[in-house]
Amino acid sequence: MGVALNIAIIGGGLIGLSSADSLIHRGAKVTIFERGQDVGHGAGRYNSGMIHPSQSAPWFNDDMDINDIKTLIGWANNSRDLLMKRRQMLGCEDLHRMPGTLQLFESPYVGQKKKTFYTELGITCFEYSDAWSFGHYGLEFLEDQSGNAHHYCLKLAEDLRARGCQIRTHALAEIIQQDNQLFVKSAGQSLTFDRIIVAAGSASRGLLKPLNYELPVRPMQGHALIFARPDMPLPELPIMHWDSRSAMTVFDDHVRLSGTVGEDDPKALWSIWDNIAPDIVKALGIPLVEWSADRPYSEIGRPIIGATSIPHVWVNAGHGHMGWSLCTWSGEMLARMMIGEGLL
Ligand SMILES: Cc1cc2nc3c(=O)[nH]c(=O)nc-3n(C[C@H](O)[C@H](O)[C@H](O)COP(=O)(O)OP(=O)(O)OC[C@H]3O[C@@H](n4cnc5c(N)ncnc54)[C@H](O)[C@@H]3O)c2cc1C
């Protein structure tokens, strides 16, 4: 490679950091602009922690072609495998977690239909009716994984800095056009780069709008309640509740109820999980943290990764409920397209 590409990434979440990881690996010089106090404070901060290729089908694009969903599953499988390697390399502390996830359904009929759908997609799943199904129809996905996304972001950022990446925090950025040239404007400075990558999660659309580029990504709010871990038997695998699109995930030092769609208040999680697992919810007590965030939902049902029609401006956004599961492979795909190794 000749002179290293000088690249700006707007957004220091799972996707911006993973893009930087793959680009630096290929010799690029990368500066990340993150408006928050630190990296990883966006939609991944208190997500459900599931690295779940099993859930690759979009939630609201029912007409998506089955082959396109299979492509997404392929990406997610690759991403999971690469993520497990990178977590190991970075020394993430929760690698001991048991593989797998569970999914519960209010209606056995819906659960059985979903099982047929998963099987059609080539996803391995088994009916599950043990203590942690709480009397519901359940499915178990042994090929999924889980882990703390925020810890990963912090470890990855430390590693990126050591590899020469500049990470600017408290650095709200915008893209401005002057005399036919594009600049990243942040903290009163206007800087030029060879490429600008928009990886700003649900804010990505707004960043591109002034350039007359309409990115089909919109916010889809989710919530979390974080509790101290009570001293009682707890499920080792994350448990998804299909009907509410929420999950209970037990981490080493805390329990997280998280997810939902169409709810305005994190407390909705309380009543959802009180109905499913009342004994656990009673023992959880008062939440330590109540949290809400916008998942970047792509209107076309899959993340948008690649060059835009604006010269030198690229995008990596729209991962919806799958950003932790897809982060490493999304970074790889973007880097390969940009550095010219072609599509995977
Ligand atoms: C409740 C909940 C549960 C979830 N559970 C899972 C799960 O179990 N498994 C899974 O795979 N995924 C899950 N997700 C989805 C996953 O967390 C997201 O898809 C992922 O975090 C998206 O990453 P991102 O980097 O695109 O966006 P974000 O994580 O939101 O990061 C974008 C970053 O850009 C910064 N930014 C925005 N605008 C600017 C600007 N102008 N200048 C500078 N910086 C800017 C923001 O501050 C932010 O840090 C969940 C999400 C939620 C909300």
Side-chain angles (χ1 to χ4, degrees):
M1 195 172 154
V3 179
L5 274 181
N6 186 19
I7 299 171
I9 298 181
I10 304 182
L14 282 165
I15 303 302
L17 293 167
S18 302
S19 304
D21 191 8
S22 295
L23 287 163
I24 291 172
H25 181 67
R26 289 169 174 79
K29 183 171 174 258
V30 174
T31 305
I32 296 176
F33 294 86
E34 168 51 53
R35 67 181 173 189
Q37 62 184 30
D38 202 350
V39 298
H41 275 258
R45 177 69 181 91
Y46 290 115
N47 74 12
S48 310
M50 293 176 288
I51 303 159
H52 50 10
S54 69
Q55 303 303 306
S56 296
W59 282 350
F60 304 112
N61 299 64
D62 292 338
D63 54 350
M64 194 175 208
D65 188 89
I66 191 143
N67 289 315
D68 291 338
I69 303 176
K70 285 183 179 174
T71 300
L72 291 175
I73 296 169
W75 291 359
N77 282 330
N78 292 342
S79 200
R80 174 204 54 212
D81 295 347
L82 191 55
L83 182 55
M84 295 309 283
K85 280 192 200 137
R86 294 206 173 149
R87 290 172 69 218
Q88 206 149 19
M89 261 167 42
L90 292 170
C92 289
E93 282 138 22
D94 54 355
L95 286 163
H96 59 272
R97 290 184 64 86
M98 188 184 271
T101 58
L102 298 176
Q103 187 166 48
L104 308 183
F105 299 84
E106 290 300 323
S107 147
Y109 172 73
V110 173
Q112 276 151 8
K113 263 181 68 174
K114 282 294 282 184
K115 184 171 187 281
T116 308
F117 180 60
Y118 288 130
T119 308
E120 254 177 81
L121 289 171
I123 293 166
T124 311
C125 63
F126 302 98
E127 286 187 351
Y128 175 90
S129 58
D130 215 332
W132 305 126
S133 64
F134 305 101
H136 290 66
Y137 180 85
L139 294 175
E140 184 170 23
F141 303 93
L142 292 175
E143 288 164 15
D144 288 345
Q145 293 277 353
S146 58
N148 190 317
H150 181 60
H151 286 180
Y152 178 73
C153 285
L154 297 181
K155 289 261 188 200
L156 180 55
E158 196 184 312
D159 181 65
L160 291 173
R161 284 191 179 101
R163 289 155 62 197
C165 182
Q166 262 203 55
I167 303 182
R168 300 185 176 201
T169 52
H170 298 288
L172 178 73
E174 57 182 322
I175 308 172
I176 54 164
Q177 193 162 24
Q178 261 170 16
D179 305 329
N180 264 344
Q181 211 180 345
L182 291 178
F183 298 86
V184 174
K185 189 173 174 195
S186 181
Q189 281 183 304
S190 294
L191 303 162
T192 54
F193 291 90
D194 299 321
R195 303 279 186 278
I196 301 170
I197 300 169
V198 175
S202 60
S204 299
R205 186 181 203 142
L207 265 163
L208 289 165
K209 223 179 179 107
L211 305 174
N212 293 323
Y213 190 89
E214 202 59 53
L215 187 73
V217 170
R218 61 181 162 81
M220 181 173 60
Q221 198 178 45
H223 308 284
L225 296 175
I226 315 300
F227 302 87
R229 186 178 166 145
D231 187 14
M232 66 188 291
L234 291 165
E236 286 182 77
L237 302 185
I239 302 179
M240 298 174 255
H241 180 237
W242 168 253
D243 305 68
S244 63
R245 306 293 200 280
S246 71
M248 174 191 286
T249 315
V250 178
F251 291 89
D252 284 349
D253 59 352
H254 69 275
V255 177
R256 231 178 253 187
L257 303 180
S258 53
T260 72
V261 173
E263 300 286 356
D264 295 330
D265 192 328
K267 290 196 181 68
L269 285 158
W270 212 320
S271 42
I272 291 165
W273 284 91
D274 192 37
N275 279 329
I276 301 167
D279 292 345
I280 295 181
V281 170
K282 207 168 287 142
L284 291 176
I286 307 291
L288 306 172
V289 179
E290 292 187 20
W291 178 81
S292 302
D294 288 326
R295 304 173 186 96
Y297 195 82
S298 162
E299 287 165 4
I300 59 171
R302 61 164 174 79
I304 299 159
I305 305 170
T308 67
S309 54
I310 310 160
H312 310 306
V313 178
W314 290 59
V315 67
N316 198 349
H319 295 73
H321 66 288
M322 289 293 293
W324 177 218
S325 309
L326 284 170
C327 62
T328 54
W329 203 246
S330 302
E332 280 293 292
M333 287 197 282
L334 181 99
R336 287 199 181 201
M337 284 186 257
M338 191 179 275
I339 308 284
E341 289 168 38
L343 276 171
L344 297 163

